[in-house]
Amino acid sequence: MSFVIAIDGPAASGKGTLARKLAEHYGLPHLDTGLLYRATACALLDEGLPLDDLHAAVEAARGLSLVDFDEARLRAREMGEAASVVAAMPAVRAALIDMQRAFAARPEGAVLDGRDIGTVICPDASVKIFVTATPETRAQRRALELASRGEPVDYAAILDDVKKRDARDSGRSAAPLKAADDAVTLDTSELDRDEAFAAAVAIAEKARSA
Protein backbone atom coordinates (compact mmCIF):
# COMPACT_ATOMS: atom_id res chain seq x y z
CA MET A 1 0.00 0.00 0.00
CA SER A 2 1.40 3.41 -0.95
CA PHE A 3 2.31 5.89 1.76
CA VAL A 4 0.48 9.18 1.18
CA ILE A 5 0.90 12.16 3.48
CA ALA A 6 -1.77 14.86 3.23
CA ILE A 7 -0.87 18.23 4.70
CA ASP A 8 -3.42 21.01 4.86
CA GLY A 9 -3.52 24.42 6.44
CA PRO A 10 -3.95 28.15 5.89
CA ALA A 11 -1.55 30.47 4.09
CA ALA A 12 1.93 30.84 5.62
CA SER A 13 1.31 28.19 8.27
CA GLY A 14 4.55 26.45 7.33
CA LYS A 15 2.85 23.49 5.64
CA GLY A 16 4.90 23.80 2.44
CA THR A 17 8.25 23.73 4.22
CA LEU A 18 7.05 20.84 6.34
CA ALA A 19 5.80 18.92 3.32
CA ARG A 20 9.10 19.32 1.48
CA LYS A 21 11.08 18.10 4.51
CA LEU A 22 8.78 15.12 5.02
CA ALA A 23 9.06 14.20 1.34
CA GLU A 24 12.84 14.29 1.58
CA HIS A 25 12.81 12.33 4.84
CA TYR A 26 10.65 9.53 3.42
CA GLY A 27 12.02 9.65 -0.12
CA LEU A 28 8.67 10.56 -1.65
CA PRO A 29 7.68 12.96 -4.44
CA HIS A 30 6.10 16.22 -3.28
CA LEU A 31 3.38 18.37 -4.80
CA ASP A 32 2.51 21.85 -3.55
CA THR A 33 -1.03 21.94 -4.89
CA GLY A 34 -1.29 25.66 -4.22
CA LEU A 35 1.03 26.17 -7.18
CA LEU A 36 -1.67 24.75 -9.45
CA TYR A 37 -4.04 27.55 -8.49
CA ARG A 38 -1.28 30.15 -8.65
CA ALA A 39 -0.35 28.93 -12.13
CA THR A 40 -3.99 29.10 -13.21
CA ALA A 41 -4.25 32.68 -11.98
CA CYS A 42 -0.93 33.56 -13.59
CA ALA A 43 -2.14 32.27 -16.96
CA LEU A 44 -5.20 34.52 -16.76
CA LEU A 45 -3.16 37.55 -15.79
CA ASP A 46 -0.68 36.92 -18.61
CA GLU A 47 -3.57 36.90 -21.08
CA GLY A 48 -5.02 40.09 -19.62
CA LEU A 49 -8.16 38.23 -18.57
CA PRO A 50 -10.14 38.92 -15.40
CA LEU A 51 -9.67 36.43 -12.57
CA ASP A 52 -13.42 35.83 -12.41
CA ASP A 53 -13.62 34.66 -16.04
CA LEU A 54 -14.83 31.14 -15.27
CA HIS A 55 -14.45 29.64 -18.75
CA ALA A 56 -10.91 30.99 -19.17
CA ALA A 57 -9.93 29.87 -15.68
CA VAL A 58 -11.12 26.31 -16.30
CA GLU A 59 -9.30 26.16 -19.64
CA ALA A 60 -6.12 27.46 -17.99
CA ALA A 61 -6.39 24.85 -15.24
CA ARG A 62 -6.86 22.03 -17.75
CA GLY A 63 -3.84 23.17 -19.71
CA LEU A 64 -1.37 23.13 -16.83
CA SER A 65 1.80 21.06 -16.86
CA LEU A 66 3.61 20.30 -13.61
CA VAL A 67 7.01 20.75 -15.28
CA ASP A 68 6.46 24.28 -16.55
CA PHE A 69 6.14 26.23 -13.28
CA ASP A 70 8.19 29.35 -12.60
CA GLU A 71 8.07 28.93 -8.83
CA ALA A 72 9.80 32.21 -8.05
CA ARG A 73 7.11 34.14 -9.87
CA LEU A 74 4.24 31.99 -8.65
CA ARG A 75 5.21 32.47 -5.00
CA ALA A 76 4.99 36.26 -5.18
CA ARG A 77 2.50 37.81 -2.78
CA GLU A 78 0.14 39.13 -5.45
CA MET A 79 -0.05 35.70 -7.09
CA GLY A 80 -1.18 34.20 -3.82
CA GLU A 81 -4.04 36.65 -3.63
CA ALA A 82 -5.00 35.95 -7.24
CA ALA A 83 -4.84 32.20 -6.63
CA SER A 84 -7.28 32.50 -3.75
CA VAL A 85 -9.82 34.03 -6.15
CA VAL A 86 -9.67 31.29 -8.80
CA ALA A 87 -9.46 28.56 -6.14
CA ALA A 88 -12.93 29.56 -4.95
CA MET A 89 -14.42 28.44 -8.29
CA PRO A 90 -15.85 24.90 -8.03
CA ALA A 91 -15.25 24.25 -11.75
CA VAL A 92 -11.56 25.16 -11.45
CA ARG A 93 -11.13 22.86 -8.46
CA ALA A 94 -12.90 20.07 -10.36
CA ALA A 95 -10.57 20.57 -13.33
CA LEU A 96 -7.52 20.05 -11.11
CA ILE A 97 -8.70 17.09 -9.03
CA ASP A 98 -7.59 14.35 -11.43
CA MET A 99 -4.08 15.82 -11.78
CA GLN A 100 -3.64 15.87 -8.00
CA ARG A 101 -5.06 12.39 -7.47
CA ALA A 102 -2.87 10.96 -10.22
CA PHE A 103 0.17 12.41 -8.46
CA ALA A 104 -0.93 10.87 -5.16
CA ALA A 105 -1.55 7.48 -6.80
CA ARG A 106 2.13 6.80 -7.49
CA PRO A 107 3.07 3.28 -6.31
CA GLU A 108 5.55 4.54 -3.71
CA GLY A 109 3.20 7.20 -2.40
CA ALA A 110 3.57 10.98 -2.21
CA VAL A 111 3.38 14.05 -0.03
CA LEU A 112 0.81 16.67 -1.03
CA ASP A 113 0.10 19.96 0.68
CA GLY A 114 -2.78 22.35 0.14
CA ARG A 115 -6.13 23.18 1.66
CA ASP A 116 -8.32 20.22 0.74
CA ILE A 117 -5.91 17.29 0.48
CA GLY A 118 -7.15 15.33 3.46
CA THR A 119 -10.80 16.22 2.90
CA VAL A 120 -11.21 15.99 -0.89
CA ILE A 121 -8.12 14.97 -2.86
CA CYS A 122 -6.81 12.13 -0.68
CA PRO A 123 -9.50 11.26 1.89
CA ASP A 124 -7.83 7.86 2.40
CA ALA A 125 -4.32 9.24 2.95
CA SER A 126 -2.09 7.29 5.32
CA VAL A 127 -1.27 10.43 7.29
CA LYS A 128 -3.29 13.63 7.60
CA ILE A 129 -1.83 16.70 9.28
CA PHE A 130 -3.55 20.08 9.57
CA VAL A 131 -0.85 22.69 10.08
CA THR A 132 -1.87 26.01 11.59
CA ALA A 133 -0.52 29.08 13.40
CA THR A 134 -1.90 32.41 14.54
CA PRO A 135 -2.57 35.02 11.82
CA GLU A 136 0.07 37.28 13.37
CA THR A 137 2.70 34.55 13.28
CA ARG A 138 1.85 33.69 9.70
CA ALA A 139 1.98 37.33 8.62
CA GLN A 140 5.41 37.70 10.21
CA ARG A 141 6.65 34.59 8.39
CA ARG A 142 5.32 35.85 5.09
CA ALA A 143 6.95 39.24 5.67
CA LEU A 144 10.32 37.59 6.32
CA GLU A 145 9.90 35.42 3.23
CA LEU A 146 9.18 38.43 1.02
CA ALA A 147 12.04 40.41 2.53
CA SER A 148 14.43 37.54 1.83
CA ARG A 149 13.48 37.83 -1.85
CA GLY A 150 14.02 41.57 -1.87
CA GLU A 151 10.32 42.40 -2.12
CA PRO A 152 8.80 45.36 -0.25
CA VAL A 153 7.24 44.48 3.10
CA ASP A 154 4.21 46.08 4.76
CA TYR A 155 3.36 43.96 7.80
CA ALA A 156 -0.06 45.51 8.38
CA ALA A 157 -1.07 44.91 4.76
CA ILE A 158 0.26 41.34 4.88
CA LEU A 159 -1.69 40.60 8.07
CA ASP A 160 -4.81 41.99 6.43
CA ASP A 161 -4.20 39.77 3.38
CA VAL A 162 -3.74 36.70 5.61
CA LYS A 163 -7.04 37.33 7.38
CA LYS A 164 -8.87 37.96 4.09
CA ARG A 165 -7.48 34.77 2.57
CA ASP A 166 -8.48 32.79 5.65
CA ALA A 167 -12.03 34.09 5.36
CA ARG A 168 -12.19 33.43 1.61
CA ASP A 169 -10.61 29.96 1.81
CA SER A 170 -12.73 28.86 4.77
CA GLY A 171 -15.97 30.35 3.46
CA ARG A 172 -15.93 29.13 -0.14
CA SER A 173 -18.56 26.62 -1.19
CA ALA A 174 -16.14 24.27 -2.95
CA ALA A 175 -13.74 22.34 -0.71
CA PRO A 176 -13.47 24.94 2.04
CA LEU A 177 -10.33 25.05 4.14
CA LYS A 178 -10.86 22.82 7.17
CA ALA A 179 -9.20 19.97 8.99
CA ALA A 180 -10.32 16.47 8.04
CA ASP A 181 -12.14 14.72 10.87
CA ASP A 182 -9.26 12.27 11.26
CA ALA A 183 -6.43 14.79 10.79
CA VAL A 184 -3.97 15.64 13.54
CA THR A 185 -3.72 19.41 14.11
CA LEU A 186 -0.19 20.77 14.45
CA ASP A 187 0.03 24.36 15.72
CA THR A 188 3.43 25.75 14.73
CA SER A 189 2.98 29.21 16.28
CA GLU A 190 5.65 28.54 18.91
CA LEU A 191 7.73 26.02 16.96
CA ASP A 192 10.77 26.56 14.78
CA ARG A 193 11.22 24.52 11.60
CA ASP A 194 13.14 21.70 13.26
CA GLU A 195 10.61 21.39 16.08
CA ALA A 196 7.68 21.40 13.64
CA PHE A 197 9.40 18.74 11.52
CA ALA A 198 10.07 16.52 14.54
CA ALA A 199 6.43 16.82 15.58
CA ALA A 200 5.23 15.95 12.06
CA VAL A 201 7.49 12.90 11.83
CA ALA A 202 6.15 11.71 15.18
CA ILE A 203 2.59 12.05 13.85
CA ALA A 204 3.50 10.19 10.65
CA GLU A 205 5.26 7.37 12.49
CA LYS A 206 2.36 6.92 14.88
CA ALA A 207 -0.01 6.64 11.91
CA ARG A 208 2.26 4.12 10.17
CA SER A 209 2.39 1.88 13.22
CA ALA A 210 -1.33 2.01 13.90
Side-chain angles (χ1 to χ4, degrees), residues 8 21 29-30 33 57 84 107 121 135 156 162 173 176 182 187-188 191 207:
D8 292 304
K21 293 188 71 171
H30 166 242
T33 64
S84 189
I121 304 302
V162 164
S173 61
D182 54 347
D187 190 327
T188 66
L191 303 179

Side-chain angles (χ1 to χ4, degrees), residues 34-112:
L35 288 178
L36 301 177
Y37 296 97
R38 287 171 179 254
T40 299
C42 185
L44 293 176
L45 294 174
D46 284 350
E47 293 295 324
L49 298 171
L51 293 172
D52 60 358
D53 185 328
L54 178 59
H55 176 73
V58 170
E59 288 302 305
R62 288 174 176 165
L64 293 183
S65 170
L66 295 178
V67 299
D68 294 335
F69 290 166
D70 178 355
E71 287 201 30
R73 184 180 180 206
L74 294 181
R75 293 191 186 282
R77 174 183 163 193
E78 64 273 11
M79 210 59 73
E81 276 294 294
S84 189
V85 174
V86 299
M89 300 176 183
V92 170
R93 304 197 72 86
L96 294 172
I97 283 179
D98 288 344
M99 182 185 296
Q100 295 172 77
R101 287 181 175 165
F103 189 92
R106 298 181 183 209
E108 72 274 29
V111 179
L112 294 85

Side-chain angles (χ1 to χ4, degrees), residues 137-203:
T137 297
R138 290 185 283 125
Q140 181 63 33
R141 289 172 179 168
R142 181 55 52 83
L144 291 173
E145 177 187 348
L146 294 173
S148 71
R149 297 204 298 260
E151 297 187 38
V153 173
D154 180 338
Y155 174 79
I158 293 172
L159 178 59
D160 186 55
D161 286 347
V162 164
K163 291 179 177 179
K164 286 180 179 177
R165 287 192 66 184
D166 284 354
R168 187 158 57 229
D169 292 344
S170 299
R172 68 189 179 215
S173 61
L177 168 67
K178 65 178 181 178
D181 291 339
D182 54 347
V184 177
T185 296
L186 176 57
D187 190 327
T188 66
S189 299
E190 303 297 328
L191 303 179
D192 62 25
R193 291 185 177 185
D194 290 339
E195 291 169 334
F197 174 64
V201 169
I203 293 169

